[in-house]
Amino acid sequence: EAEVAQSPRYKITEKSQAVAFWCDPISGHATLYWYRQILGQGPELLVQFQDESVVDDSQLPKDRFSAERLKGVDSTLKIQPAELGDSAMYLCASSLEALNEQYFGPGTRLTVT
Amino acid sequence: TQLLEQSPQFLSIQEGENLTVYCNSSSVFSSLQWYRQEPGEGPVLLVTVVTGGEVKKLKRLTFQFGDARKDSSLHITAAQPGDTGLYLCAYQGAQKLVFGQGTRLTINP
């Protein structure tokens, strides 16, 4: 069964360092999402792509976060510089099209020290 | 953005017991979704409820959508350790999926 792949699964970094996460969606899925899930809370959307275009990044802290999906397939989420408050699970999800069922990857657990 | 309140926030019970968790709002929704998230994994969609008063069953899990489509409940019969996880409700907004904060369920053997 096709799955959303994410790497790394775990990342520990010091504050002020740069960190990057990678996501490979299910093949053929046009819509890709990045969520942040703080411990004890539900996931919150950071950015949504339709193919290679950003359709919603209203909750992305653009002073330090960036996301790209250059060829409309896999995607990278970057944080520079990382802050202590960025410690969270970063989830990637994909769907055939927007508003279709979303399939989530296993996430990247980020700890900023 | 409409708010989803889930209760209880934490629940720990013994294997074999029954339980109900809730997802409430003051807003009306066209549908609500329930997800289960196991430790170290992403959420997995369990069910979508669409019609007011609708009841859907998934093995020992029973999902109900309120008549007014403002709330939903999840009832688990004879809970098993494999039911342990974070149960999230969510609604599909105009542009994005919005989640509640979840109920963290622990089933003790």
Side-chain angles (χ1 to χ4, degrees):
Chain A
E1 183 175 314
E3 295 180 340
V4 176
Q6 289 189 248
S7 67
R9 292 293 307 273
Y10 304 92
K11 180 70 178 178
I12 300 174
T13 191
E14 294 182 349
K15 62 181 180 180
S16 80
Q17 296 299 305
V19 64
F21 314 130
W22 177 79
C23 172
D24 191 12
I26 293 173
S27 178
H29 280 197
T31 313
L32 184 147
Y33 314 80
W34 283 102
Y35 291 85
R36 178 171 58 188
Q37 185 176 23
I38 296 170
L39 191 63
Q41 297 182 20
E44 181 182 29
L45 182 70
L46 291 175
V47 61
Q48 177 181 340
F49 289 91
Q50 181 66 29
D51 299 310
E52 67 277 7
S53 300
V54 173
V55 296
D56 184 353
D57 63 357
S58 57
Q59 300 303 309
L60 189 71
K62 299 180 188 62
D63 57 333
R64 297 184 302 106
F65 285 64
S66 64
E68 59 183 18
R69 193 184 184 200
L70 294 177
K71 297 182 179 179
V73 181
D74 58 340
S75 176
T76 303
L77 178 69
K78 297 179 181 177
I79 308 174
Q80 183 174 16
E83 296 180 353
L84 294 177
D86 296 332
S87 294
M89 174 78 89
Y90 289 83
L91 293 162
C92 179
S94 69
S95 62
L96 271 173
E97 296 291 341
L99 304 184
N100 288 155
E101 179 179 349
Q102 295 184 27
Y103 295 84
F104 286 81
T108 296
R109 168 75 64 189
L110 173 67
T111 302
V112 182
T113 63
Chain B
T1 302
Q2 299 137 307
L3 192 62
L4 291 172
E5 297 278 356
Q6 291 193 245
S7 61
Q9 190 173 355
F10 299 95
L11 183 60
S12 179
I13 63 171
Q14 294 300 120
E15 180 177 0
E17 293 183 357
N18 302 333
L19 66 105
T20 302
V21 299
Y22 301 91
C23 175
N24 296 307
S25 178
S26 58
S27 301
V28 177
F29 300 102
S30 57
S31 66
L32 280 177
Q33 301 177 2
W34 283 93
Y35 292 77
R36 178 168 62 211
Q37 183 177 18
E38 299 185 11
E41 299 295 331
V44 175
L45 180 64
L46 296 174
V47 76
T48 301
V49 286
V50 179
T51 307
E54 180 178 11
V55 176
K56 282 191 172 179
K57 292 192 174 184
L58 190 64
K59 297 184 180 179
R60 293 175 294 98
L61 278 59
T62 301
F63 304 84
Q64 184 161 8
F65 201 12
D67 291 340
R69 306 203 322 273
K70 293 183 177 182
D71 53 78
S72 182
S73 64
L74 160 58
H75 181 81
I76 301 180
T77 303
Q80 303 295 315
D83 297 327
T84 292
L86 180 68
Y87 288 80
L88 296 156
C89 64
Y91 72 89
Q92 181 68 60
Q95 294 292 339
K96 62 184 180 183
L97 200 55
V98 179
F99 287 88
Q101 83 277 24
T103 292
R104 187 163 300 279
L105 175 64
T106 303
I107 309 300
N108 303 300

